[in-house]
Protein backbone atom coordinates (compact mmCIF):
# COMPACT_ATOMS: atom_id res chain seq x y z
CA UNK A 1 0.00 0.00 0.00
CA UNK A 2 2.95 2.31 0.63
CA UNK A 3 4.06 1.65 -2.93
CA UNK A 4 0.52 2.35 -4.18
CA UNK A 5 0.45 5.65 -2.27
CA UNK A 6 3.67 6.73 -4.00
CA UNK A 7 2.45 5.49 -7.39
CA UNK A 8 -1.20 6.57 -7.48
CA UNK A 9 -1.33 9.25 -4.77
CA UNK A 10 -2.35 8.75 -1.15
CA UNK A 11 -5.78 10.33 -1.65
CA UNK A 12 -6.70 7.80 -4.36
CA UNK A 13 -5.29 4.86 -2.40
CA UNK A 14 -6.96 5.86 0.87
CA UNK A 15 -10.29 6.50 -0.88
CA UNK A 16 -10.08 3.04 -2.47
CA UNK A 17 -9.44 1.35 0.91
CA UNK A 18 -12.27 3.27 2.60
CA UNK A 19 -14.64 2.49 -0.28
CA UNK A 20 -14.12 -1.28 -0.37
CA UNK A 21 -14.05 -1.65 3.42
CA UNK A 22 -17.15 0.58 3.73
CA UNK A 23 -19.05 -1.43 1.13
CA UNK A 24 -18.03 -4.68 2.82
CA UNK A 25 -19.07 -3.32 6.21
CA UNK A 26 -22.52 -2.50 4.78
CA UNK A 27 -22.74 -5.98 3.23
CA UNK A 28 -21.79 -7.56 6.56
CA UNK A 29 -24.77 -5.89 8.23
CA UNK A 30 -27.02 -8.08 6.05
CA UNK A 31 -25.07 -11.35 6.54
CA UNK A 32 -27.29 -14.28 7.49
CA UNK A 33 -24.65 -16.94 8.17
CA UNK A 34 -21.59 -16.88 10.42
CA UNK A 35 -19.24 -17.96 7.61
CA UNK A 36 -20.26 -15.06 5.36
CA UNK A 37 -20.07 -12.61 8.27
CA UNK A 38 -16.58 -13.87 9.19
CA UNK A 39 -15.21 -13.46 5.65
CA UNK A 40 -16.78 -10.04 5.21
CA UNK A 41 -15.41 -8.76 8.53
CA UNK A 42 -12.01 -10.18 7.56
CA UNK A 43 -12.07 -7.95 4.48
CA UNK A 44 -13.13 -4.97 6.62
CA UNK A 45 -10.23 -5.70 9.02
CA UNK A 46 -7.79 -5.38 6.10
CA UNK A 47 -8.47 -1.63 6.22
CA UNK A 48 -5.58 -1.53 8.72
CA UNK A 49 -3.25 -1.39 5.70
CA UNK A 50 -4.33 2.25 5.35
CA UNK A 51 -1.85 3.15 8.12
CA UNK A 52 1.15 3.42 5.80
CA UNK A 53 -0.90 5.37 3.25
CA UNK A 54 -1.57 8.04 5.86
CA UNK A 55 2.08 8.09 6.93
CA UNK A 56 3.03 8.71 3.30
CA UNK A 57 0.41 11.42 2.88
CA UNK A 58 1.46 13.30 6.03
CA UNK A 59 5.10 13.15 4.94
CA UNK A 60 4.14 14.78 1.62
CA UNK A 61 2.41 17.70 3.31
CA UNK A 62 4.40 18.74 6.40
CA UNK A 63 7.74 20.45 6.85
CA UNK A 64 10.80 18.60 8.07
CA UNK A 65 11.01 20.39 11.44
CA UNK A 66 7.36 19.52 12.26
CA UNK A 67 7.12 16.04 10.80
CA UNK A 68 7.43 14.15 14.11
CA UNK A 69 4.47 15.95 15.68
CA UNK A 70 2.38 15.67 12.51
CA UNK A 71 3.01 11.92 12.08
CA UNK A 72 2.47 11.36 15.80
CA UNK A 73 -0.92 13.08 15.85
CA UNK A 74 -2.02 11.16 12.74
CA UNK A 75 -0.90 7.75 13.97
CA UNK A 76 -1.48 8.11 17.71
CA UNK A 77 -4.92 9.70 17.56
CA UNK A 78 -5.88 7.36 14.73
CA UNK A 79 -4.93 4.24 16.69
CA UNK A 80 -6.88 5.52 19.70
CA UNK A 81 -9.97 5.27 17.48
CA UNK A 82 -10.00 1.50 17.98
CA UNK A 83 -10.17 1.96 21.76
CA UNK A 84 -12.81 4.68 21.50
CA UNK A 85 -14.88 2.43 19.25
CA UNK A 86 -14.63 -0.44 21.73
CA UNK A 87 -15.83 1.87 24.49
CA UNK A 88 -18.56 3.77 22.65
CA UNK A 89 -20.14 1.34 20.15
CA UNK A 90 -21.43 -1.25 22.68
CA UNK A 91 -23.02 1.56 24.69
CA UNK A 92 -24.52 3.15 21.56
CA UNK A 93 -25.79 0.04 19.79
CA UNK A 94 -26.02 -2.62 22.49
CA UNK A 95 -26.37 -6.01 20.78
CA UNK A 96 -27.55 -4.50 17.46
CA UNK A 97 -24.12 -4.89 15.89
CA UNK A 98 -25.49 -5.05 12.34
CA UNK A 99 -26.75 -1.47 12.70
CA UNK A 100 -23.25 -0.41 13.78
CA UNK A 101 -21.74 -2.15 10.72
CA UNK A 102 -24.24 -0.40 8.42
CA UNK A 103 -23.71 3.07 9.87
CA UNK A 104 -19.91 2.80 10.01
CA UNK A 105 -19.87 1.55 6.42
CA UNK A 106 -21.89 4.56 5.27
CA UNK A 107 -19.57 6.92 7.14
CA UNK A 108 -16.54 5.25 5.51
CA UNK A 109 -18.10 5.70 2.04
CA UNK A 110 -18.79 9.36 2.79
CA UNK A 111 -15.19 9.97 3.90
CA UNK A 112 -13.90 8.08 0.83
CA UNK A 113 -15.87 10.39 -1.46
CA UNK A 114 -14.64 13.48 0.41
CA UNK A 115 -11.02 12.27 0.37
CA UNK A 116 -11.17 11.53 -3.35
CA UNK A 117 -12.87 14.83 -4.14
CA UNK A 118 -10.75 17.20 -2.03
CA UNK A 119 -7.49 15.25 -1.59
CA UNK A 120 -4.18 16.16 -3.23
CA UNK A 121 -1.21 13.75 -3.29
CA UNK A 122 1.32 16.31 -2.01
CA UNK A 123 1.81 19.97 -1.17
CA UNK A 124 3.48 20.57 -4.50
CA UNK A 125 3.42 18.76 -7.83
CA UNK A 126 7.19 18.13 -7.79
CA UNK A 127 7.06 16.06 -4.58
CA UNK A 128 4.19 13.97 -5.96
CA UNK A 129 6.02 13.46 -9.25
CA UNK A 130 9.22 12.44 -7.46
CA UNK A 131 7.42 9.81 -5.37
CA UNK A 132 5.59 8.52 -8.45
CA UNK A 133 8.84 8.25 -10.40
CA UNK A 134 10.49 6.11 -7.70
CA UNK A 135 8.09 3.17 -7.59
CA UNK A 136 10.04 0.69 -9.71
CA UNK A 137 11.09 -2.71 -8.38
CA UNK A 138 14.76 -1.72 -8.13
CA UNK A 139 13.84 1.42 -6.27
CA UNK A 140 11.87 -0.67 -3.78
CA UNK A 141 14.73 -3.14 -3.35
CA UNK A 142 17.07 -0.19 -2.77
CA UNK A 143 14.99 0.83 0.26
CA UNK A 144 14.77 -2.73 1.59
CA UNK A 145 18.54 -3.18 1.41
CA UNK A 146 19.57 -0.06 3.37
CA UNK A 147 20.89 -1.05 6.79
CA UNK A 148 19.31 2.05 8.34
CA UNK A 149 15.90 1.03 6.97
CA UNK A 150 16.34 -2.47 8.41
CA UNK A 151 17.37 -0.91 11.73
CA UNK A 152 14.20 1.21 11.75
CA UNK A 153 12.12 -1.84 10.84
CA UNK A 154 13.56 -3.70 13.85
CA UNK A 155 12.94 -0.65 16.06
CA UNK A 156 9.30 -0.66 14.94
CA UNK A 157 9.12 -4.40 15.62
CA UNK A 158 10.32 -3.57 19.15
CA UNK A 159 7.61 -0.96 19.60
CA UNK A 160 4.48 -1.42 17.48
CA UNK A 161 5.10 -5.13 16.94
CA UNK A 162 5.30 -5.52 20.71
CA UNK A 163 2.26 -3.29 21.25
CA UNK A 164 -0.04 -5.48 19.16
CA UNK A 165 1.51 -8.61 20.68
CA UNK A 166 0.73 -7.33 24.16
CA UNK A 167 -2.83 -6.39 23.14
CA UNK A 168 -3.58 -10.05 22.50
CA UNK A 169 -1.41 -11.47 25.29
CA UNK A 170 -1.95 -9.29 28.36
CA UNK A 171 -5.58 -10.18 29.27
CA UNK A 172 -4.66 -13.87 29.45
CA UNK A 173 -1.43 -13.01 31.29
CA UNK A 174 -3.15 -11.12 34.11
CA UNK A 175 -6.02 -13.63 34.34
CA UNK A 176 -3.50 -16.48 34.68
CA UNK A 177 -0.41 -14.97 36.29
CA UNK A 178 -2.25 -12.87 38.89
CA UNK A 179 -5.36 -15.01 39.43
CA UNK A 180 -4.98 -15.04 43.23
CA UNK A 181 -4.20 -11.33 43.50
CA UNK A 182 -7.22 -10.48 41.33
CA UNK A 183 -9.40 -12.78 43.45
CA UNK A 184 -8.22 -10.89 46.55
CA UNK A 185 -9.66 -7.72 44.97
CA UNK A 186 -13.09 -9.35 44.93
CA UNK A 187 -13.17 -10.75 41.38
CA UNK A 188 -13.89 -14.46 41.81
CA UNK A 189 -16.20 -15.39 38.90
CA UNK A 190 -14.57 -16.21 35.56
CA UNK A 191 -16.23 -13.27 33.79
CA UNK A 192 -15.24 -10.87 36.58
CA UNK A 193 -11.61 -12.04 36.46
CA UNK A 194 -11.59 -11.54 32.68
CA UNK A 195 -13.00 -8.03 33.11
CA UNK A 196 -10.41 -7.07 35.73
CA UNK A 197 -7.57 -8.58 33.65
CA UNK A 198 -8.87 -6.74 30.56
CA UNK A 199 -8.88 -3.47 32.49
CA UNK A 200 -5.25 -3.91 33.50
CA UNK A 201 -4.26 -4.94 29.97
CA UNK A 202 -6.01 -1.94 28.38
CA UNK A 203 -3.67 0.40 30.29
CA UNK A 204 -0.92 -0.52 27.84
CA UNK A 205 -2.72 0.05 24.54
CA UNK A 206 -4.41 3.23 25.77
CA UNK A 207 -1.14 4.88 26.80
CA UNK A 208 0.76 3.54 23.80
CA UNK A 209 -1.69 5.30 21.46
CA UNK A 210 -2.32 8.56 23.27
CA UNK A 211 1.32 9.32 24.12
CA UNK A 212 2.50 8.75 20.56
CA UNK A 213 2.04 12.38 19.41
CA UNK A 214 4.19 13.49 22.35
CA UNK A 215 6.96 11.21 21.12
CA UNK A 216 6.84 12.85 17.70
CA UNK A 217 6.97 16.24 19.39
CA UNK A 218 9.99 15.14 21.42
CA UNK A 219 11.69 14.00 18.22
CA UNK A 220 11.10 17.46 16.75
CA UNK A 221 12.41 19.02 19.99
CA UNK A 222 15.60 16.93 20.03
CA UNK A 223 16.12 17.86 16.39
CA UNK A 224 15.59 21.55 17.11
CA UNK A 225 17.96 21.48 20.12
CA UNK A 226 20.42 19.27 18.21
CA UNK A 227 20.72 16.83 21.13
CA UNK A 228 22.99 13.89 20.32
CA UNK A 229 23.96 12.45 23.73
CA UNK A 230 25.12 8.97 22.70
CA UNK A 231 28.77 8.85 21.61
CA UNK A 232 28.29 5.43 20.02
CA UNK A 233 25.76 6.80 17.47
CA UNK A 234 26.58 9.03 14.54
CA UNK A 235 25.88 12.73 14.91
CA UNK A 236 26.64 13.49 11.27
CA UNK A 237 23.34 12.84 9.53
CA UNK A 238 20.87 15.72 9.27
CA UNK A 239 18.32 13.70 11.28
CA UNK A 240 20.83 12.38 13.87
CA UNK A 241 19.10 13.91 16.96
CA UNK A 242 15.93 12.01 16.04
CA UNK A 243 17.93 8.76 15.93
CA UNK A 244 19.29 9.52 19.41
CA UNK A 245 15.73 10.10 20.71
CA UNK A 246 14.67 6.76 19.24
CA UNK A 247 17.66 5.07 20.91
CA UNK A 248 16.39 6.39 24.26
CA UNK A 249 12.99 4.85 23.54
CA UNK A 250 14.44 1.46 22.60
CA UNK A 251 16.43 1.28 25.85
CA UNK A 252 13.34 2.28 27.86
CA UNK A 253 11.20 -0.41 26.20
CA UNK A 254 13.78 -3.09 27.02
CA UNK A 255 14.15 -1.94 30.63
CA UNK A 256 10.37 -1.80 31.13
CA UNK A 257 9.98 -5.30 29.69
CA UNK A 258 12.47 -6.65 32.24
CA UNK A 259 10.68 -4.68 35.00
CA UNK A 260 7.41 -6.40 34.03
CA UNK A 261 9.08 -9.75 34.55
CA UNK A 262 10.47 -8.64 37.93
CA UNK A 263 7.06 -7.41 39.13
CA UNK A 264 5.45 -10.66 37.99
CA UNK A 265 8.03 -12.92 39.63
CA UNK A 266 7.59 -11.00 42.89
CA UNK A 267 3.79 -11.30 42.55
CA UNK A 268 3.21 -7.56 42.91
CA UNK A 269 0.04 -6.78 40.91
CA UNK A 270 -0.09 -3.01 41.63
CA UNK A 271 3.59 -2.63 40.72
CA UNK A 272 3.08 -4.68 37.54
CA UNK A 273 0.19 -2.46 36.42
CA UNK A 274 2.07 0.77 37.14
CA UNK A 275 5.08 -0.59 35.22
CA UNK A 276 2.66 -1.54 32.42
CA UNK A 277 1.48 2.07 32.16
CA UNK A 278 5.12 3.19 31.91
CA UNK A 279 5.73 0.42 29.40
CA UNK A 280 2.88 1.73 27.22
CA UNK A 281 4.43 5.20 27.27
CA UNK A 282 7.87 3.77 26.36
CA UNK A 283 6.29 1.88 23.45
CA UNK A 284 4.70 5.11 22.22
CA UNK A 285 8.13 6.76 22.33
CA UNK A 286 9.36 4.02 20.00
CA UNK A 287 6.46 4.11 17.53
CA UNK A 288 6.42 7.91 17.36
CA UNK A 289 10.21 8.06 17.13
CA UNK A 290 10.45 5.67 14.17
CA UNK A 291 8.01 7.51 11.93
CA UNK A 292 9.57 10.86 12.75
CA UNK A 293 12.65 9.52 10.89
CA UNK A 294 11.32 7.40 8.00
CA UNK A 295 9.94 10.27 5.84
CA UNK A 296 13.15 12.27 6.30
CA UNK A 297 15.47 9.36 5.59
CA UNK A 298 13.58 8.42 2.40
CA UNK A 299 12.25 11.72 1.10
CA UNK A 300 11.87 10.41 -2.43
CA UNK A 301 10.29 7.07 -1.44
CA UNK A 302 8.16 7.77 1.65
CA UNK A 303 5.45 5.23 0.86
CA UNK A 304 7.73 2.37 -0.08
CA UNK A 305 9.83 2.98 3.06
CA UNK A 306 6.77 3.30 5.32
CA UNK A 307 5.39 0.06 3.89
CA UNK A 308 8.65 -1.79 4.57
CA UNK A 309 9.12 -0.45 8.11
CA UNK A 310 5.45 -0.54 9.13
CA UNK A 311 4.51 -3.79 7.43
CA UNK A 312 7.26 -6.31 8.08
CA UNK A 313 7.62 -5.32 11.73
CA UNK A 314 4.05 -6.39 12.56
CA UNK A 315 5.33 -9.99 12.46
CA UNK A 316 6.28 -9.27 16.07
CA UNK A 317 2.58 -9.41 16.89
CA UNK A 318 2.67 -13.13 16.11
CA UNK A 319 6.19 -14.09 17.20
CA UNK A 320 6.34 -12.53 20.69
CA UNK A 321 3.15 -14.16 22.06
CA UNK A 322 4.49 -17.53 20.89
CA UNK A 323 7.60 -16.93 23.02
CA UNK A 324 5.53 -15.65 25.96
CA UNK A 325 3.49 -18.85 25.86
CA UNK A 326 6.47 -21.13 25.26
CA UNK A 327 8.43 -20.09 28.37
CA UNK A 328 7.39 -22.36 31.32
CA UNK A 329 7.11 -19.50 33.86
CA UNK A 330 4.53 -17.06 32.47
CA UNK A 331 6.33 -14.07 34.02
CA UNK A 332 9.71 -14.82 32.39
CA UNK A 333 8.49 -14.40 28.81
CA UNK A 334 9.06 -10.62 28.77
CA UNK A 335 12.69 -10.84 29.90
CA UNK A 336 13.24 -13.70 27.44
CA UNK A 337 12.00 -11.58 24.52
CA UNK A 338 14.12 -8.65 25.76
CA UNK A 339 17.31 -10.74 25.87
CA UNK A 340 16.77 -12.99 22.84
CA UNK A 341 15.25 -10.41 20.46
CA UNK A 342 15.65 -6.86 21.68
CA UNK A 343 19.31 -6.83 22.70
CA UNK A 344 20.39 -8.06 19.22
CA UNK A 345 17.91 -5.66 17.58
CA UNK A 346 19.40 -2.72 19.49
CA UNK A 347 22.91 -3.92 18.65
CA UNK A 348 22.02 -3.94 14.93
CA UNK A 349 20.31 -0.54 15.24
CA UNK A 350 23.43 0.94 16.86
CA UNK A 351 25.68 -0.63 14.23
CA UNK A 352 23.50 0.67 11.39
CA UNK A 353 23.15 4.15 12.88
CA UNK A 354 26.67 4.66 14.15
CA UNK A 355 28.10 4.73 10.66
CA UNK A 356 28.94 8.08 9.12
CA UNK A 357 28.60 6.50 5.68
CA UNK A 358 25.75 7.87 3.61
CA UNK A 359 22.50 5.99 3.28
CA UNK A 360 23.29 5.10 -0.31
CA UNK A 361 26.66 3.56 0.60
CA UNK A 362 25.60 1.75 3.80
CA UNK A 363 23.56 -1.19 2.63
CA UNK A 364 23.52 -4.41 0.65
CA UNK A 365 24.69 -3.19 -2.74
CA UNK A 366 25.33 0.43 -3.62
CA UNK A 367 22.87 3.01 -4.89
CA UNK A 368 24.38 2.57 -8.34
CA UNK A 369 23.84 -1.20 -8.11
CA UNK A 370 20.09 -0.80 -7.65
CA UNK A 371 19.28 2.53 -9.29
CA UNK A 372 21.94 2.90 -11.96
CA UNK A 373 24.34 5.78 -12.45
CA UNK A 374 21.92 8.15 -14.11
CA UNK A 375 19.60 10.01 -11.80
CA UNK A 376 16.15 10.31 -13.38
CA UNK A 377 14.64 12.53 -10.70
CA UNK A 378 15.88 15.57 -8.79
CA UNK A 379 17.02 15.38 -5.17
CA UNK A 380 18.11 12.22 -3.41
CA UNK A 381 17.55 10.01 -0.39
CA UNK A 382 20.89 11.10 1.00
CA UNK B 1 15.36 28.23 13.46
CA UNK B 2 12.60 27.43 10.98
CA UNK B 3 9.32 29.22 11.56
CA UNK B 4 6.46 27.04 12.73
CA UNK B 5 3.20 26.89 10.87
CA UNK B 6 -0.09 27.95 12.48
CA UNK B 7 -1.35 24.41 12.99
CA UNK B 8 1.61 23.55 15.22
CA UNK B 9 0.25 25.45 18.23
CA UNK B 10 -3.04 23.55 18.02
CA UNK B 11 -1.17 20.33 17.40
CA UNK B 12 0.65 20.78 20.71
CA UNK B 13 -2.61 21.50 22.51
CA UNK B 14 -4.09 18.29 21.07
CA UNK B 15 -1.12 16.17 22.10
CA UNK B 16 -1.08 17.56 25.64
CA UNK B 17 -4.84 16.93 25.86
CA UNK B 18 -4.34 13.35 24.71
CA UNK B 19 -1.67 12.78 27.37
CA UNK B 20 -3.93 14.23 30.05
CA UNK B 21 -6.80 11.96 28.92
CA UNK B 22 -4.49 8.94 28.99
CA UNK B 23 -3.34 9.70 32.53
CA UNK B 24 -6.85 10.45 33.84
CA UNK B 25 -8.48 7.38 32.30
CA UNK B 26 -5.64 5.16 33.46
CA UNK B 27 -5.80 6.42 37.05
CA UNK B 28 -9.61 6.29 37.16
CA UNK B 29 -9.81 2.84 35.61
CA UNK B 30 -7.16 1.34 37.88
CA UNK B 31 -8.71 2.95 40.95
CA UNK B 32 -12.00 1.28 39.98
CA UNK B 33 -10.26 -2.06 39.45
CA UNK B 34 -8.32 -1.99 42.71
CA UNK B 35 -11.52 -1.25 44.61
CA UNK B 36 -13.32 -4.18 43.00
CA UNK B 37 -15.26 -2.21 40.36
CA UNK B 38 -13.38 -2.96 37.12
CA UNK B 39 -15.03 -2.67 33.77
CA UNK B 40 -14.72 0.92 32.62
CA UNK B 41 -11.74 0.59 30.29
CA UNK B 42 -11.97 -3.11 29.41
Amino acid sequence: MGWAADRFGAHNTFAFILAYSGLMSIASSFAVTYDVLFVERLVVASAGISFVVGIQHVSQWFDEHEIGTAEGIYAGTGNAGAGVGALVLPRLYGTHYSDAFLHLGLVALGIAALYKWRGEPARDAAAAATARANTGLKSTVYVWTRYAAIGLMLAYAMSFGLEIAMNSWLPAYYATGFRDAIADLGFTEVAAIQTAAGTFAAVQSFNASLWRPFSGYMSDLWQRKEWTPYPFLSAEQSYAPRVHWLMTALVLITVMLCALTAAGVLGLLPVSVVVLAGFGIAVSFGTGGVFAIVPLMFEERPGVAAGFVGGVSTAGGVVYPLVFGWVPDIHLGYATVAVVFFVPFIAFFVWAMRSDRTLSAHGIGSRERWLGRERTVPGGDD
Amino acid sequence: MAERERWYRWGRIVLYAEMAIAVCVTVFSLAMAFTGNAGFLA
Side-chain angles (χ1 to χ4, degrees):
Chain A
M1 277 300 127
W3 172 86
D6 282 347
R7 184 75 180 86
F8 304 111
H11 64 307
N12 288 326
T13 311
F14 220 126
F16 172 73
I17 295 170
L18 282 169
Y20 86 71
S21 58
L23 285 172
M24 199 52 73
S25 184
I26 292 169
S28 70
S29 71
F30 298 102
V32 290
T33 68
Y34 175 78
D35 291 344
V36 171
L37 178 67
F38 179 78
V39 171
E40 287 175 341
R41 296 312 296 178
L42 214 55
V43 175
V44 174
S46 73
I49 58 178
S50 62
F51 168 75
V52 292
V53 181
I55 289 286
Q56 193 268 8
H57 209 185
V58 171
S59 74
Q60 296 288 72
W61 272 93
F62 288 88
D63 286 340
E64 184 178 328
H65 63 287
E66 299 171 338
I67 196 73
T69 306
E71 295 282 13
I73 289 175
Y74 158 70
T77 314
N79 281 348
V84 172
L87 281 172
V88 173
L89 291 178
R91 288 163 174 80
L92 214 57
Y93 290 96
T95 56
H96 302 291
Y97 62 87
S98 58
D99 288 346
F101 293 165
L102 177 63
H103 296 159
L104 289 175
L106 290 171
V107 170
L109 284 181
I111 296 174
L114 186 67
Y115 213 151
K116 171 68 183 163
W117 174 44
R118 300 293 296 170
E120 296 284 346
R123 189 152 63 178
D124 57 75
T130 301
R132 190 166 51 247
N134 287 307
T135 51
L137 179 62
K138 286 186 174 181
S139 188
T140 303
V141 175
Y142 168 71
V143 172
W144 291 2
T145 50
R146 297 308 93 195
Y147 293 136
I150 297 170
L152 287 176
M153 186 269 288
L154 294 177
Y156 206 59
M158 282 183 64
S159 47
F160 188 70
L162 184 60
E163 180 184 337
I164 56 176
M166 295 295 252
N167 283 345
S168 61
W169 170 257
L170 282 172
Y173 168 70
Y174 279 103
T176 308
F178 289 97
R179 175 175 288 272
D180 294 340
I182 289 176
D184 290 342
L185 294 173
F187 304 99
T188 51
E189 302 293 323
V190 173
I193 292 172
Q194 293 292 339
T195 303
T199 302
F200 297 139
V203 163
Q204 188 258 163
S205 59
F206 208 73
N207 282 286
S209 293
L210 290 181
W211 281 79
R212 185 167 176 163
F214 177 71
S215 172
Y217 173 71
M218 286 297 284
S219 182
D220 289 346
L221 182 70
W222 280 47
Q223 183 70 32
R224 200 159 56 243
K225 301 287 185 184
E226 298 181 352
W227 289 337
T228 53
Y230 303 113
F232 49 84
L233 290 175
S234 173
E236 295 301 312
Q237 280 91 6
S238 60
Y239 45 77
R242 298 182 186 274
V243 174
H244 284 242
W245 163 245
L246 180 56
M247 181 69 204
T248 306
L250 299 183
V251 171
L252 276 176
I253 290 170
T254 308
V255 169
M256 286 293 180
L257 214 48
C258 293
L260 266 183
T261 285
V265 169
L266 295 172
L268 304 172
L269 177 61
V271 175
S272 174
V273 175
V274 170
V275 169
L276 188 65
F279 169 79
I281 294 170
V283 163
S284 79
F285 288 176
T287 54
V290 168
F291 277 102
I293 298 172
V294 171
L296 303 180
M297 189 177 280
F298 294 99
E299 289 180 328
E300 291 182 348
R301 301 162 176 81
V304 170
F308 173 65
V309 173
V312 179
S313 54
T314 55
V318 176
V319 174
Y320 304 145
L322 291 175
V323 178
F324 295 152
W326 175 75
V327 176
D329 186 330
I330 196 168
H331 300 297
L332 294 180
Y334 307 123
T336 304
V337 166
V339 172
V340 173
F341 289 95
F342 289 3
V343 171
F345 285 2
I346 291 177
F348 183 89
F349 180 83
V350 169
W351 175 76
M353 298 298 184
R354 70 175 283 121
S355 173
D356 286 334
R357 294 165 69 191
T358 60
L359 190 68
S360 60
H362 198 39
I364 304 167
S366 65
R367 182 186 179 98
E368 287 72 24
R369 163 68 182 82
W370 297 114
L371 304 179
R373 292 195 177 279
E374 292 299 318
R375 305 281 290 276
T376 55
V377 293
D381 279 340
D382 287 330
Chain B
M1 188 169 68
E3 193 174 333
R4 291 177 199 150
E5 292 181 54
R6 284 179 60 196
W7 74 269
Y8 201 71
R9 180 170 169 267
W10 291 104
R12 281 201 305 174
I13 291 172
V14 167
L15 72 89
Y16 285 132
E18 288 193 27
M19 286 156 55
I21 291 170
V23 171
C24 290
V25 173
T26 298
V27 170
F28 177 69
S29 177
L30 293 183
M32 296 279 279
F34 280 109
T35 52
N37 298 296
F40 176 73
L41 199 59

